[in-house]
Each structure stands twice: as structure tokens, then as C-alpha cells.
Amino acid sequence: MSGWHAVNKANPCPACGKPDWCAWSPDRKRLRCMRGGDAPEGMRRISSDAEGGAMYGFEDWTPEEASGSDWRGNRKPTPASKPSNAHKRPRIDAERLHAEAVARLTSERLAALVDALGVPAEAVRTLCPGWCDAEHLRAMGAYGAGWDRGYPDGAYAFPERDGAGRMVGLGLRPLDGRKGAPSREKTGLRRALTVPSGTDLSAPLVVVCEGASDAAAGVAMGLQAVARPSNKAGADDLADLLRDARGVLVLGENDRRTDERGAEQWPGRDGAESVARTLAERWGRPVRWCMPPANAKDLRAFYHEHGEAGGALLRAHFDLFAHSVEPSNQDKMRFDRIDTPANETNPDALRDVPLGELGPSEPPDWIWRGYAARGCITLFSAAPKAGKTTLIRSILKDLYGGGGMVGRPPLEAPTLIVSEESAGQWSRHRDAFGLDPDLIRVIASPFMAKPTAAQWEDAIQRIAGRVEELGAAVVVLDTLSNLWPVRDENAAAEVNAALMPIRRITRTGAAVILVHHDRKGGGAFGEGARGSNAIAGFPDAIITLTRFRPEEETDTRRRLSYQGRFDDTEAEVILDFSGDGYSVSGRPAEVKADDLMRLIGNALPEDGAQVDFDAIHAEVRESVGKTRLRELLAEGAKAGRWNRSGTGKKGDAHMFSRSKCVSIAADSIRTKRITGDDDGWRDVGAA
């Protein structure tokens, strides 16, 4: 490009914002952008470059102004002197050229490349690198950013493939990292995609990064990665290569900067969005794109910080922060989540909306009426061995049997349980409680030791994916303390970091129940869960299970307390345990009254003899005072629990005896169960 003016740091390319590769024509009326950036203000696109670049001219520029030069600035030959085959480009066999380069790569040069990239040799080998000496580079007319200021003595060569998988070009990289490529005019080769050997293009997620070294880093982290040659190039090849891929995410680079005019330039972000938009239009379906975490410029930098474990962290990051481009809508971005990196503000997330535009309010889609709903998280805590797992089993039985505690018709969608208990233990639960053998699914003892944060996030990601595949309605994590990676449950930051990924499961529409332990000394209502108060602040609902009468070890009843965002849920109910599970007995005051009624009934003589108030009080004085006893005796007589005679006046005291038609046995006490009635309660007869 003789006579053309190369861009530099002081005057970067106005199309892509970078200070290299691109150039202005001698008359400065045309711009060649090698990255195919957006048309600068006042300019229009003249032609495309198969090497990934584009030519722009000012709005009033015409081809005649080229003054006999072609679009690269070279003088055009006159018709008389133009050879008949001058329009034909030479065709060099890319496979042969690459094979020769591979033969020249010594073990010492490979070791130097591995050291320069900071990526394991196994991952680098998937790129199938070769070596080209300076003479080979010149024979190919190779060029690259900064090569005019010091031509390299040699460069590594990486094969590049088109959308059909054919090798059509080579990516070049000297040891100092200045990227380049063979001249298309001399070789017929063009820029295309780096596809590491062994890449599974049918995997659930294929990450499209930028540059061969990032592809190697992706391989090292266990990702399926394909690299485009520059930020905006390679979209057409990607559209063909990944057309049938199950999931594609285009990754940008954190290369944001400000030019000398104070304007922000972010080619890595703009390129990722542009490629995702092209793919969405070509495929007719949404395509996700994302920036790397804020502390990393690109995929390789993230690998340098986190190593092989970075793959799981990146999957979690993509799930939280990826944007989605919809086809046939090039101006509107849909954010999958409001969350954005701390240093990147999402304007849509901060856009105010009138309350009237939020649409109609909808009641919770209950799974367990009053306590667990689709898309919500419920924290269920109790002291160790207080009956948490037993209550969960009882709820599961009612969910698929209908009615009972859950107050709904039988559930038809699966439940997924992630449990600390063994598979054998759940086999016994299934047989003892008659649990549904098909719709209730269990992940038993998933960790043999406390997982790392990366392992936990990877597990949550997999669980969310499995929930989506199954269409599961409920996910139970039992117990949280034996599953999550938290080592200091009093550290709010560590607790929050472990809890936040769980929101991915609720995004599938499932209800999530987190089973946790209470503090040893209990706590204020809503604060009894063991560990940091961040645990109590995270869920939509908190339910706590405690003994109804702690002083009586044989009493199997439990108090279920509630606090949360569901307005109509009872603050406390009493559960009664029988051989086949729990049932709701009533509110605490009602259950206590029933207990006293039973106590009074048992104090009456079995032979039907009449006794007065003082005789009854002598039997029950340790449990109830005189005033309350008088109230209960009157209520019981009115309900027919016992007989009462006398007017209660002086000389005609009330006398009480057992009723002949109503037994005072425990099974005569009527119980209540949560149902779908308007008041939430309905008398269903004897338990």
C-alpha cells in the first residue's frame, strides 16, 4: 500500500478505534479498516475486504477520484499492458503451506510459544501451530500491525478454516505477539476461523472468542472455543460453521479507552455485539454475547488468573451477564438479567418505568400453598434432627398425592432433590413414604468433600440446566451447609457469593427450597437460621420448624413459623406427625385450647359421676388458671364435650360429667388442614 498513511496511537482508525493495521489513502479521502469497523461519520462503505477489512469513502467520493489507482492505492495497468490473466489471483494450497510450516516447528520453538502464551502445551497443540522463517513470510507477502517498523525474523502459523471446515488461510504471530497474515493478492489465502482440534461444535455452549491464543486458553479451561480473526471479522464463516450448534456465545474484550478527542472507543465490545447481531439475522434466532469479567482483558488473561477452574467461573459469569440479540431487531437489546459488572452500567437496568406499565399483578403460582411458589426461594431451617427431612418427605408425598399440607391438586411436573443423604437412604424414604418413583428425582451425595466455589457454581449451572430439561417444578437443596462451599457461615460476603448463583435455578420457573440448620441458641423470629444474617435476607420466604412443647420429648408435634413476602400466609401453625407424615393441626392458640380440653376431659371420672369446679381445678391447676378453666368448661359444655348441670349460682353450683355420646379420646379432636379455601382453613373432620 505504497503512499498510504498508516494510523497510529495519536490518530487511530475512526472505524475500529485501533492504532494499527488500518490506513488512509494518499489523498485521505478513503479509509481501509482491516477490522471492518462501523462507517465513520460522513463516510460510506465502498467495498468489502475478504481479509476481514472494509474500504470507506466520504459521502461525495467517486471512483474516478482514485486517479488510476486501485482501492489499495496501487497504480492500475493500462489495458494495453495488462496481462490477460492479471485478474486471477494465485492459488496456494493452504494445507500444503501449513504442513510445511508444521515440519519447521521445533520442540524449542513450541516451548517458547507455550511460555509466551502462558497456556499449557496440550492446549497449544490443539491449534496445530507451525513456523515460518522470514523468507517464507516475505514469499507470502505477509504483513501485520507494526511489521513495517521491524519485519519479524519469523512467525508461528495457525491454520484458519472457513464455514465448511476447509483450511483457507493462516494466522501469523511472531514471538513478540504482533499478529499478521499472508497477502491475499500473492497467495489467495484469506482470514478465517481458528478451530482447535477436538472442538465439539455440538456442545451445549460454544464460545466465540477473538484470536488463536484465546482459543487455546478456552481449551485449557475446558470450554469449546472457536476464534474469529478480529473483533468484527469472521461472522459469515461462523454463521455456516455453527449453524446447528446448540448454544453459541460471542465473547468481546475489555479494551475500552478514550481517544485524543475524549470519545470512548470500545472495539472489543462493539465487535462482539456486531458479530452476534449478524449471526442472529442469519440464523433467525437469538444469539448471546458477553464481555469477560471486569478484571480480565480477554479469555487468556482470565485463564492466567484462575487456571483450569476458570471455566466454571466463566460459565456462571456468562449466565449472569450475557446479553441476547434478537433477530430482525437491530436496535433493541434484551438483557437476560439486570445484573451487570460493577464498572459497567446498563442504561436499561436503570430506566424508570411508570407503575401503570408494569402490567397486571398475578398471585403466586403455589407449589406448597403459602410457603413455596414457582420462581421463588424458600429457606427452611430447623435444629439438627428436628424433623426437616421428615417434613420434606411428607410434603413430597402430598405434592404427588394431592391435598394434604400442600393445598393443591397432584403435581404433574418432576421434583429434583439435591441431598446430602445417600442413594440407599432415599430408597428407604421412597419405600417407607410411598414417594412417587418416577417424578421425584434425586442427586444423592454429589460432593465427597466441601466443594470449591468453582465446583459449586458449576454444579448450580448443571442443576439449572437439568431442571430446564426436565421441566421440574421444585428443587430442594438438603441441607445447604453440607452442599455449598461456604467455610465461614458468619462471613456475609462469602455467604452472598454462594447464594447468588442459586437465582439461576429460579429463572427456570422452579420453586427452590433451601434446607438449613438453626443456630444452637435459636434467634429472633426470622433470624434463627445459622450463620450470617445475609442468609435470612436472601430468600422470598423463611419457614422455621421447632418443637411445639420442647419439655415433652414424646410430643411429636412441631411449630411451623413463617416470615416473608407472601402476605396471606399464617405466621404460625402446628403440625402433628403420624406414621405417614405431617398434617396441620391448627393455629397455636387453637391447638393449646384443644390440649387443655383433652386434659379437662381426662380429669372427669370415667364412671360418669359428677364433679364440681374445685375438683376439676385440683386435677389441672398446674396447667391452667381458674379464670381460663371456667371459660374452657363453658366452651366444652356448649360443644358437647361433657355434660354440665346446675345454674352456677349460690346453692346450685355447676356440676360436670363425661358425655355419654361424645368420647374425649384423642382421636375425637378435630384437626384442620391448609386448603385452597378463601380463609386458608377448612375443618376436615377427625385426623
Side-chain angles (χ1 to χ4, degrees), residues 253-302:
E253 290 192 358
N254 285 317
D255 53 0
R256 178 165 49 181
R257 59 180 177 271
T258 303
D259 63 19
E260 72 279 359
R261 294 169 294 180
E264 182 183 84
Q265 302 286 339
W266 200 340
R269 180 197 62 187
D270 298 341
E273 181 182 353
S274 174
V275 170
R277 179 173 292 121
T278 299
L279 296 179
E281 293 299 330
R282 288 282 301 273
W283 294 339
R285 64 177 187 265
V287 176
R288 295 193 303 161
W289 67 274
C290 190
M291 299 301 294
N295 61 340
K297 175 182 178 293
D298 51 25
L299 208 56
R300 187 158 59 103
F302 192 78

Side-chain angles (χ1 to χ4, degrees), residues 105-117:
L105 181 68
T106 63
S107 57
E108 292 78 9
R109 286 194 176 115
L110 178 60
L113 177 61
V114 169
D115 185 62
L117 298 183

Side-chain angles (χ1 to χ4, degrees), residues 336-403:
D336 288 339
R337 283 185 63 98
I338 292 176
D339 309 74
T340 55
N343 68 339
E344 180 185 349
T345 300
N346 171 8
D348 282 0
L350 300 178
R351 181 172 61 87
D352 59 284
V353 179
L355 288 175
E357 294 183 9
L358 296 180
S361 61
E362 296 182 358
D365 186 357
W366 294 116
I367 294 296
W368 174 15
R369 180 170 293 278
Y371 300 101
R374 282 182 175 271
C376 297
I377 295 176
T378 298
L379 177 67
F380 172 34
S381 70
K385 308 306 177 184
K388 294 186 297 295
T389 302
T390 303
L391 179 57
I392 291 295
R393 294 194 306 247
S394 184
I395 293 168
L396 290 172
K397 181 178 180 180
D398 288 344
L399 274 176
Y400 293 97

Side-chain angles (χ1 to χ4, degrees), residues 401-566:
M405 290 183 60
V406 298
R408 56 161 297 136
L411 189 64
E412 297 180 355
T415 289
L416 180 61
I417 303 168
V418 185
S419 175
E420 63 180 321
E421 293 187 318
S422 67
Q425 186 65 45
W426 274 99
S427 295
R428 290 186 285 275
H429 295 332
R430 176 199 62 208
D431 298 339
F433 276 75
L435 301 180
D436 191 294
D438 299 316
L439 291 176
I440 299 177
R441 308 179 72 91
V442 180
I443 299 175
S445 303
F447 303 114
M448 300 303 294
K450 179 72 79 173
T452 64
Q455 290 170 332
W456 169 249
E457 293 195 3
D458 182 60
I460 294 296
Q461 177 76 8
R462 292 172 183 269
I463 291 168
R466 185 60 177 151
V467 169
E468 199 161 15
E469 291 175 10
L470 293 170
V474 188
V475 176
V476 180
L477 302 183
D478 179 19
T479 57
L480 193 60
S481 58
N482 287 329
L483 296 173
W484 68 358
V486 174
R487 283 166 169 75
D488 182 1
E489 291 184 351
N490 293 309
E494 187 178 1
V495 168
N496 271 324
L499 289 173
M500 287 303 294
I502 297 173
R503 294 259 180 228
R504 292 176 222 150
I505 303 176
T506 62
R507 289 175 60 194
T508 67
V512 176
I513 300 176
L514 308 178
V515 184
H516 192 48
H517 293 306
D518 269 352
R519 306 175 193 269
K520 287 184 178 179
F525 186 42
E527 298 180 357
R530 190 176 72 190
S532 166
N533 285 338
I535 299 175
F538 178 72
D540 300 285
I542 304 172
I543 52 177
T544 305
L545 192 70
T546 55
R547 291 183 178 274
F548 179 49
R549 296 187 183 278
E551 69 279 5
E552 297 182 18
E553 293 186 2
T554 58
D555 193 334
T556 60
R557 291 175 297 179
R558 299 291 185 266
R559 183 190 302 267
L560 189 68
S561 304
Y562 164 83
Q563 188 177 51
R565 301 187 176 101
F566 305 138

Side-chain angles (χ1 to χ4, degrees), residues 17 103 106 155 187 191 195 210 224 228 287 372 398 420 457 465 473 477 528 533 545 622 646 650 671 686:
T106 63
T187 64
R191 300 306 309 271
V195 184
E210 183 180 338
Q224 305 299 322
R228 58 194 191 277
V287 176
D398 288 344
E420 63 180 321
E457 293 195 3
L477 302 183
N533 285 338
L545 192 70
E622 294 183 0
K650 188 174 182 179
T671 63

